[in-house]
Amino acid sequence: MARVAFIGLGRMGHGMAGRYLDAGFTVSVWNRSKAKAEDLIARGARWATSPEDAAIDADAVVTMVADDNASREVWLTKDGAAANMKAGALAIECSTVSHQHALHMAGVLGARGLIYIDSPVTGLPDAAAAGKLTLLVGADPADLELARPYLEPLSTTIRHFGAVGSGTVYKLINNLMGAIQIAGIAEGLAIAEQAGLDMKLVLEAIETGVAASPQVIRHSKRMAERNFAGATFTAALRQKDAAYAVALAESLLSAPPIMGRAAVQSYDRAKAYAPDDDEGKMIEIVSRPK
Ligand code: NAP
């Protein structure tokens, strides 16, 4: 059976690694903190002592870690996954990283005879655990075909945007647009609250109005109710994605990305306030009365 190494067992990665066990792959796992691996080990995964150990005999290595820095750590350090992978093995980056980082990794790993593809995802942790993610892939078409057996257990939809890095471009614009919407909802709701509007009516009007989107509907309800139970996506991760997207915008556009920069500022504040809490908690800062 094909061998998969899965690295990064956070909210998303834990469920994704479990999908490979469900599908009958031979799975080795590594996470910075071992506790998150215990139940996967009980289900048959091999605990690896380092990313290098996890990856050494793998046909595909899949990473799902926080950001560029974490990705560098798990791939490229002395005991990183790339240190001893077999030639021709797949290196599948599901983490949301910067565009520059994805291109850099493709170059470095490609020079070592590995096939790097970027495959960031959309979907919440429950979709990750159920194999219902959408994958946003940047890869040569032939490399995507090689990777497909390792992508299918994770997903219901695979969107191939083009060459390496292009999946990350789409992921970053998707999350930047989300960041702008969520920061906008916080301000809109805060104004309504301080102006004394009936918030039940406000939510009803939002849900059926032209400004609604799945994102707006989900977050407006949680924000209005101050219900952040079961944080799925943190302020720190959203800030990171928005900042990566703005850096990409600045590299491509002559006009300054004003909206994106404002979203980054909103999330700088949210991250300083509660980095590991739900991104929607920014309403608590924004809604303070004058
Ligand atoms: P998370 O729960 O915070 O998990 C982050 C993972 O990265 C953990 O395994 C963590 O290890 C690891 N990590 C962080 N810094 C590291 C470092 N320096 N070296 C090694 N490992 C490190 O985050 P998540 O929600 O699963 O998100 C993972 C990725 O998916 C992120 O790129 C995020 O933007 C993206 N994403 C998330 C969602 C979502 O809804 N949550 C949706 C789509 C995409 P420890 O466990 O030891 O801390």
Side-chain angles (χ1 to χ4, degrees), residues 117-246:
I117 76 168
D118 57 315
S119 179
V121 313
T122 54
L124 296 174
D126 56 348
K132 292 184 175 165
L133 295 171
T134 293
L135 305 184
L136 312 166
V137 176
D140 286 342
D143 293 343
L144 172 56
E145 289 320 306
L146 290 174
R148 206 175 276 282
Y150 303 93
L151 301 179
E152 282 176 342
L154 305 178
S155 61
T156 46
T157 308
I158 296 173
R159 294 197 201 285
H160 183 206
F161 284 93
V164 164
S166 61
T168 296
V169 170
Y170 180 76
K171 174 65 183 174
L172 295 179
I173 67 160
N174 181 75
N175 277 27
L176 180 63
M177 292 187 291
I180 292 168
Q181 283 195 351
I182 295 164
I185 303 162
E187 292 187 8
L189 290 178
I191 296 166
E193 285 177 4
Q194 292 309 325
L197 267 58
D198 173 348
M199 293 308 290
K200 194 164 169 287
L201 191 57
V202 168
L203 284 183
E204 210 177 285
I206 287 174
E207 280 177 23
T208 52
V210 292
S213 68
Q215 184 92 274
V216 166
I217 292 169
R218 176 169 184 271
H219 282 282
S220 53
K221 192 166 183 314
R222 285 164 68 88
M223 284 185 195
E225 293 170 355
R226 304 294 194 271
N227 171 12
F228 305 113
T232 51
F233 196 58
T234 65
L237 289 176
R238 180 67 75 172
Q239 188 277 346
K240 174 254 318 184
D241 289 356
Y244 289 166
V246 165

Side-chain angles (χ1 to χ4, degrees), residues 9-12 31-33 36 64-66 70 96 123 232 240:
L9 304 172
R11 289 181 182 84
M12 296 293 286
N31 192 57
R32 189 175 54 176
S33 36
K36 293 179 189 172
M64 192 55 163
V65 293
T96 308
T232 51
K240 174 254 318 184

